[in-house]
Amino acid sequence: MAIAYLIKEVTKVYKGSEKKANDQITLSIRQGEIFGLLGPNGAGKSTLINQIAGLTHPTSGSIQLFGMDVVRQPQIIPQYVALQPQQGWALQDLYPEEALLYTAQLRGCTKQAAQKQTRALMEEFKLGQFGKKVLRNLSGGQRRLVYLALAFVGDRPIQIFDEPTNDLDPVVRLQVWEKLLHLRQEGKTIIVVTHNVLEAERVIQSVGIINHGRLRAVGTVGELKAQLDQNIKLEVVLRADYAEYHNLLATLGEVRALTQQRVVVLCYSTTTRVTIDRVLTQIGLDKLDDFRIQPPSLEDVYLRFGGETKRG
């Protein structure tokens, strides 16, 4: 696949600070993929996004967009990139329909095309139900939905989303992820910054994990999972207290008691079948409320490569 973004040794130090918000970050984002950028608060994710979106300049390093040097020519970026705003202060006194319409026109759409896109997005995300309120008077979830729609207008080949499903109810969150998948199928490049690792795993192809300003891991989800200890998680929900079965479970693998009844047993993939047989025969289905088998997940990748360590 062609490369959309090529980021080399990007470092950012803000004026008046000695800390490196980003420290020698090198990665590439392929055209037509959904790339997830993960990391705890203060890890340096937003700083990197602001640099690739042209909102701030790196202290050193290079950023190429479709082969063009956008550090030297940041004015190129808006022609290719749409960014979901977090606050959208300039739009606070507009109605949602006005915000979408003006943004589409600013991105080069004709008035007719802007009106068509605005109507479609208003209908798709049911924005008309609060269309008579200016953005500053909407709830957090309502504003989030409008800001998401703002990233979709103008049909940019690269679309960047920062915590796209925060404040949204489960039904709308699913709708948003499905929308991102649809855009990828159309050939768009999607960059998602999120803490919701379990949701993101359903849609992203590649991932970068940042902590303390440094890139801790980057690759496809499958490649990063392959670097983990290949433990299978057996989550067992017992009807009795866990202590009653402690000795048995301890012989099956590493045991992590989540509650008095809910237990996770970590075992190697080669012994999974034997472990399951012993749970079913020596404890019995009638003593279990639930029993799940979970292979390594993106959440495990996130925790393994620095996601659990937060900046002070």
Side-chain angles (χ1 to χ4, degrees), residues 174-187:
L174 180 60
Q175 182 184 3
V176 169
W177 291 120
E178 289 177 345
K179 176 74 172 179
L180 298 187
L181 280 172
H182 178 71
L183 290 171
R184 182 183 68 83
Q185 291 166 357
E186 292 181 345

Side-chain angles (χ1 to χ4, degrees), residues 255-267:
V255 179
R256 298 176 182 173
L258 305 181
T259 67
Q260 288 186 324
Q261 279 79 40
R262 187 179 296 271
V263 179
V264 170
V265 181
L266 300 180
C267 63

